[in-house]
Amino acid sequence: MNISGKKIIIFGGTSGIGEAATKIMSEKGAAEIIAISRNPDKMTNVPENVTLEKIDVLDEEALKSFFKNQGEFDVLINCATGGTRAVGPFLKMDLEGYRSSFAKLWGYTNVVRYGTEYLANNGNIVLVSGSPARKCRPGQIAISSVGGAVEAFARGIAPEIAPKRINIVSPGVIDTPMSPLTGNEREEFYKNATQNNLIPRAGTSEEVAKGIIFAIENEFITGTTIDVDGGWLTS
Ligand SMILES: NC(=O)c1ccc[n+]([C@@H]2O[C@H](COP(=O)([O-])OP(=O)(O)OC[C@H]3O[C@@H](n4cnc5c(N)ncnc54)[C@H](OP(=O)(O)O)[C@@H]3O)[C@@H](O)[C@H]2O)c1
């Protein structure tokens, strides 16, 4: 699929990985990109072919009326984190925290449920999981469970929505605004989190966004996961 001239809807497209994807697709000549989040005005240097929208992916009524108003479009991306993430060992975990980590899955399934009927027949969907889905390191049980569910969802629904395609991009440790750490503490965190990887550094938002672009452009892939993780799975 050629991104040039296409209408693209990207949830979570105003920060980090999503913002990088928005900017690459803009440069590739998309006709219109609608970048959506709860506080989209945080995004600066918004290109001309990008429109910002304020919607919470957990608000089903808002999503229904948004998609109805948009009509047909070509690409649906969701990389919104959705809410908070529980960290730590499962047996010590507050189960409410574990359950609320699934907000990311509900955000993803909401937009697929209400958006797919408006997606062009040759259109495609890209969702973002995360490397703990298939290699869970200590403390990552919540995001591992959510990521696994996201990947299973895409594999499972691919036959139902064909010829429309759906794929997942799975990032490793990526330096984005998702981490609130600053200065030395931030540097130490990324160093420690990636030191055992085959490529021992944090990835960039642009590196993951290029995986999203590949999933959009390559018309011979569906129901699959593209790992952009610095070798997390094999280290
Ligand atoms: N960074 C990493 O190391 C890493 C690793 C593995 C997987 N991932 C996954 O990659 C994806 C992107 O993460 P990122 O690192 O780029 O994070 P980020 O910079 O924090 O961006 C997250 C985006 O999601 C939006 N968002 C969050 N909750 C939302 C909601 N309920 N409704 C609408 N928009 C919402 C945020 O905007 P608002 O706050 O304005 O709503 C923001 O635009 C996520 O699915 C994350 O789990 C990231």
Side-chain angles (χ1 to χ4, degrees), residues 12-166:
T14 62
S15 171
I17 293 166
E19 180 175 357
T22 296
K23 289 190 170 156
I24 295 174
M25 295 184 300
S26 162
E27 281 161 18
K28 280 179 167 276
E32 185 184 5
I33 302 168
I34 304 169
I36 303 161
S37 72
R38 294 163 303 182
N39 299 295
D41 294 339
K42 280 190 289 189
M43 183 171 166
T44 53
N45 302 323
V46 183
E48 252 180 33
N49 51 354
V50 175
T51 309
L52 300 180
E53 279 271 353
K54 180 182 167 80
I55 303 177
D56 187 326
V57 287
L58 302 177
D59 183 343
E60 292 181 61
E61 292 311 314
L63 289 172
K64 282 183 204 168
S65 73
F66 167 75
F67 282 118
K68 199 171 168 199
N69 289 338
Q70 287 307 319
E72 187 170 282
F73 63 100
D74 302 291
V75 180
L76 174 61
I77 303 167
N78 195 341
C79 45
T81 41
T84 52
R85 304 137 33 100
V87 180
F90 183 70
L91 294 185
K92 294 190 174 160
M93 191 170 279
D94 164 19
L95 281 179
E96 193 41 52
Y98 178 79
R99 281 190 284 267
S100 39
S101 306
F102 280 80
K104 168 165 152 171
L105 176 70
W106 306 137
Y108 285 8
T109 52
N110 283 347
V111 307
V112 173
R113 176 65 182 81
Y114 300 121
T116 305
E117 68 180 287
Y118 300 100
L119 189 65
N121 258 343
N122 66 342
N124 70 94
I125 302 171
V126 186
L127 306 178
V128 174
S129 61
S131 50
R134 276 160 294 130
K135 185 170 183 180
C136 180
R137 292 191 175 153
Q140 297 183 322
I141 184 66
I143 51 173
S144 176
S145 309
V146 175
V150 168
E151 293 180 6
F153 172 73
R155 277 195 306 277
I157 201 175
E160 188 180 324
I161 68 167
K164 301 173 188 182
R165 299 183 292 113
I166 180 166

